[in-house]
Amino acid sequence: MAIAVVAGVGATLAFSAAPATATGVPHIRNGETVPVYSYDNAVRESVWVQTPLDNDHDGKRDEIAVDIVRPREAAAKHLRVPVVMEGSPYYSCCGRGNESELKEYDANGIITKEPLFYDNYFVPRGYAFVAADLAGTNRSTGCMDVGGREEVLGAKAVIDWLNGRARARYADGAPAVATGWTNGRTGMIGKSWDGSVANGVAATGVQGLETIVPISAISSWYDYQRYNGVLRSPDYPEFLHSYVTGRPEEACADVLSELDQGSDDATGNYNAYWAERNFRPDARKVHASVLIAHGLNDTNVTTDQFAQWWSRLDVPKKIWLSQQGHVDPFDIRRGAWVDTLHQWFDRWLQGLHNGIDRQPAVSIETAPGTWVNERTWPAPAARPVGVSLGDGVRTWTDNPELTEAAAVANPNADVPGRTTFLFGPLTGNARISGTPSVTLRVKVDKPTTELTARLVDYGTGTRVDYLGGGEGIRTLETESCWGASTAADDACYRDTAERVVTSDHAILTRGWQDAAHHVSLRFTTPLRPDRWYSVTVPMQATDQLIAAGHVLGLILQASDNEYSSPQSTGATIQLDTRRSRLTLPMIGHLPPPGTPVVTTAPAPSSFAPPRFHPVVP
């Protein structure tokens, strides 16, 4: 049965008056869009948009299948509405959201259910919702090329069609034209892979894309599948292609071969294949506003993906940073997120000057359930704090069986395969905001080795349990509803709550570097066993508070068999601590290493990520 609209319960930000041009528009009242159109009676249709490419080599341009839900009454009044769009490879294989919803169709192939609440919530408020199957997935043709030109230009073609610049057809072959019902103003949204394609399309500078909302999204596929030359998982692009493809194997054999050869597992080098999938250099082309959401403890799409994208954007932008892992803010802070999203789309797609672009740009979760607003990120008061690692030489040998839990436990003990530096106890509260790094002066008895660094907060506290089930959330038995419903597509989702734990330590950030890539990621420079080298290990961007009395630990090891697929060389590493340096973007200060330390000795955790198991973005 249909379920009534239920409003969000989060804090609502103040609106200013609506622009005069909005006068008389039924879905705009008091400076915001309101649900006046029937969701049950909405137009539901599918079109196939022609792309400029033919990567399945069948002699025809590839087509992107697009499912549309739009308000019928607006079309009847000749009101052209803006579009909220999600491009995804997951609509038929894997599902979207915490409840893994799939697209559903009736016997005639008409869309009856689109995943997530976007259509339920926004269509009654005077938006169309467009769900596009990325190339080679679900009902689209072409072949999935995992972040490449086919994926990005296919999604771009949909925006071109919405603005009258590309062709489309209905299932019966009749031409499909969008300019009669939409004004072409489009906002792209999506989590993970879906948000990554929004980044990629924005980086083309396509006209008509007014805003994007990338959630836990990729901005460089090299950095997703490589850690500075370290292989995350073998045959990763081929795995992702096969995971989402909707095409016969023989249709995409050439593309699979290109993925295998181009990604170049053998060297880990950055090359033309990866440059095509790196959106950051084209951030200057982005003219769309950007609302980013990311978990500070996301170990799937790691935090440098948002940090290096955010720092390059010169457009109106806003960011939410939570303490969860790979989790949608809808499942963290639901009411406030829906309110923010509503205002964001009203501002950039409906042209309502509601003030959201003048509010603090940054919302950060500093502790479970505690959020603060700031004007920019990283924190303006954070300054690079450099500290030497000591006065002597440390030696250890790669132990590829050393787990993360064992590596960070018992920091004062002698554990084969790691070396530990402790700073503290801190005399006052401190904050790390930005991207830490450690520069190591090393001598290695093999042509290369992987180097792994972890920052650990040793001290008891209540923290978001991002390493537990749900990556920091738990799913409850109750439901709340976020929009209008039909018998086939309700707007109700199971509620969630933060999963917290009281622990005596927490890993704040991690970093990896292949030593032979210390000069450049484009080629290897083998190490000579008789020579000292300076190798910088960049860690993932973070924003964390460290309480007074806690101890900050730097844990170094060689290969990491949990977050990568280590190519262990069995190297023995000598570390000249006098010429090695930890650099932290920090508010506060650290005592030098060697200061008497009082700390607990945490036991190894029972959690261990699966080894060499590829994950999907």
Side-chain angles (χ1 to χ4, degrees):
M1 66 178 179
I3 300 176
V5 176
V6 177
V9 296
T12 302
L13 303 175
F15 291 103
S16 61
T21 54
T23 302
V25 177
H27 58 266
I28 298 176
R29 297 176 190 165
N30 300 320
E32 67 175 321
T33 58
V34 293
V36 299
Y37 302 124
S38 169
Y39 180 69
D40 188 59
N41 192 40
V43 176
R44 291 173 170 80
E45 59 187 351
S46 302
V47 303
W48 280 259
V49 175
Q50 189 178 90
T51 80
L53 303 176
D54 174 23
N55 81 337
D56 58 6
H57 307 302
D58 64 355
K60 298 179 292 185
R61 289 191 178 184
D62 301 330
E63 293 182 317
I64 302 300
V66 178
D67 295 311
I68 303 163
V69 183
R70 55 187 176 89
R72 189 178 300 275
E73 300 93 333
K77 292 178 181 293
H78 305 291
L79 290 174
R80 294 189 298 170
V81 298
V83 172
V84 175
M85 172 181 165
E86 182 174 42
S88 178
Y90 291 130
Y91 283 135
S92 65
C93 73
C94 323
R96 304 311 297 132
N98 191 42
E99 297 174 36
S100 300
E101 291 186 312
L102 300 170
K103 281 185 177 180
E104 296 179 8
Y105 303 88
D106 67 13
N108 297 315
I110 303 300
I111 186 73
T112 58
K113 178 182 177 67
E114 299 204 295
L116 306 177
F117 72 97
Y118 304 135
D119 53 335
N120 309 78
Y121 188 86
F122 285 105
V123 170
R125 288 172 165 80
Y127 294 82
F129 181 69
V130 166
D133 299 318
L134 296 183
T137 69
N138 200 14
R139 302 200 294 180
S140 293
T141 63
C143 297
M144 167 51 66
D145 62 351
V146 190
R149 293 180 69 247
E150 178 82 9
E151 178 180 305
V152 172
L153 295 184
K156 174 182 176 291
V158 178
I159 296 173
D160 285 332
W161 173 69
L162 292 168
N163 285 274
R165 299 189 298 266
R167 296 179 179 179
R169 63 172 179 85
Y170 292 107
D172 63 3
V177 178
T179 50
W181 56 263
T182 179
N183 58 19
R185 295 176 65 87
T186 303
M188 292 187 70
I189 189 171
K191 178 194 170 191
S192 204
W193 200 331
D194 307 356
S196 309
V197 74
N199 285 339
V201 174
T204 70
V206 61
Q207 294 299 309
L209 182 61
E210 304 298 330
T211 193
I212 62 172
V213 185
I215 302 166
S216 305
I218 294 165
S219 59
S220 164
W221 282 85
Y222 177 87
D223 284 356
Y224 180 69
Q225 298 178 25
R226 301 284 187 271
Y227 295 135
N228 300 300
V230 175
L231 181 66
R232 186 166 185 178
S233 185
D235 300 321
Y236 210 160
E238 302 96 300
F239 162 76
L240 291 173
H241 169 99
S242 301
Y243 193 75
V244 301
T245 187
R247 304 299 311 284
E249 183 176 351
E250 59 274 12
C252 297
D254 288 348
V255 170
L256 269 173
S257 177
E258 291 166 5
L259 294 177
D260 178 51
Q261 295 177 28
S263 57
D264 188 15
D265 282 358
T267 68
N269 289 349
Y270 183 89
N271 55 24
Y273 170 94
W274 295 113
E276 179 184 314
R277 291 159 173 80
N278 183 3
F279 311 137
R280 297 169 189 164
D282 289 325
R284 66 188 184 280
K285 297 180 182 178
V286 175
H287 62 77
S289 61
V290 181
L291 169 59
I292 292 174
H294 214 106
L296 288 164
N297 291 301
D298 194 337
T299 59
N300 180 346
V301 178
T302 50
T303 54
D304 270 2
Q305 298 289 350
F306 86 76
Q308 294 202 36
W309 185 234
W310 168 266
S311 67
R312 287 168 169 81
L313 293 170
D314 187 22
V315 295
K317 58 186 180 180
K318 188 176 179 66
I319 192 167
W320 274 35
L321 299 174
S322 76
Q323 289 293 331
Q324 274 70 26
H326 198 60
V327 179
D328 194 305
F330 183 72
D331 296 314
I332 299 170
R333 198 184 175 200
R334 187 167 294 181
W337 175 249
V338 175
D339 285 345
T340 298
L341 201 57
H342 182 184
Q343 293 172 73
W344 190 260
F345 284 150
D346 276 3
R347 171 65 185 90
W348 300 109
L349 299 182
Q350 300 281 357
L352 302 180
H353 293 281
N354 52 29
I356 192 168
D357 50 327
R358 298 191 300 273
Q359 295 170 359
V362 181
S363 292
I364 303 177
E365 186 179 21
T366 58
T370 300
W371 289 77
V372 299
N373 294 328
E374 298 189 338
R375 64 179 179 85
T376 190
W377 189 90
R383 295 289 182 268
V385 174
V387 58
S388 170
L389 297 188
D391 186 11
V393 175
R394 301 269 191 101
T395 301
W396 78 95
T397 299
D398 185 15
N399 176 8
E401 298 304 311
L402 181 63
T403 65
E404 177 176 89
V408 303
N410 302 315
N412 292 306
D414 183 12
V415 176
R418 74 154 195 206
T419 190
T420 302
F421 301 88
L422 300 174
F423 307 88
L426 274 63
T427 57
N429 294 336
R431 177 181 175 187
I432 298 173
S433 180
T435 302
S437 66
V438 59
T439 297
L440 306 175
R441 187 69 173 173
V442 295
K443 184 184 288 187
V444 181
D445 67 349
K446 303 290 183 182
T448 191
T449 186
E450 294 165 9
L451 294 168
T452 301
R454 291 177 171 87
L455 282 181
V456 184
D457 175 7
Y458 291 107
T460 299
T462 299
R463 302 172 169 103
V464 172
D465 186 16
Y466 73 91
L467 290 177
E471 299 199 52
I473 65 164
R474 53 191 178 92
T475 304
L476 308 178
E477 296 299 323
T478 57
E479 282 190 340
S480 57
C481 305
W482 301 87
S485 298
T486 67
D489 186 2
D490 72 63
C492 302
Y493 295 87
R494 291 178 67 183
D495 296 318
T496 57
E498 284 193 311
R499 186 185 296 274
V500 299
V501 63
T502 298
S503 59
D504 53 17
H505 72 289
I507 299 169
L508 303 179
T509 185
R510 304 162 176 85
W512 305 267
Q513 175 72 46
D514 174 57
H517 282 91
H518 72 283
V519 174
S520 172
L521 294 177
R522 294 182 179 274
F523 54 83
T524 59
T525 304
L527 309 183
R528 291 175 46 176
D530 59 342
R531 181 173 295 180
W532 289 94
Y533 296 87
S534 290
V535 180
T536 296
V537 183
M539 286 176 263
Q540 293 296 314
T542 193
D543 200 296
Q544 302 289 349
L545 299 178
I546 308 169
H550 286 203
V551 172
L552 183 67
L554 171 66
I555 313 299
L556 301 178
Q557 61 188 97
S559 56
D560 179 355
N561 65 7
E562 291 172 342
Y563 291 91
S564 67
S565 295
Q567 310 296 307
S568 174
T569 62
T572 295
I573 301 128
Q574 296 180 66
L575 175 69
D576 182 351
T577 61
R578 292 165 296 186
R579 301 178 68 186
S580 300
R581 194 168 186 82
L582 173 65
T583 303
L584 300 175
M586 193 170 183
I587 302 171
H589 68 277
L590 294 178
T595 301
V597 171
V598 179
T599 183
T600 57
S605 165
S606 61
F607 171 80
R611 295 184 184 180
F612 317 131
H613 181 67
V615 293
V616 293

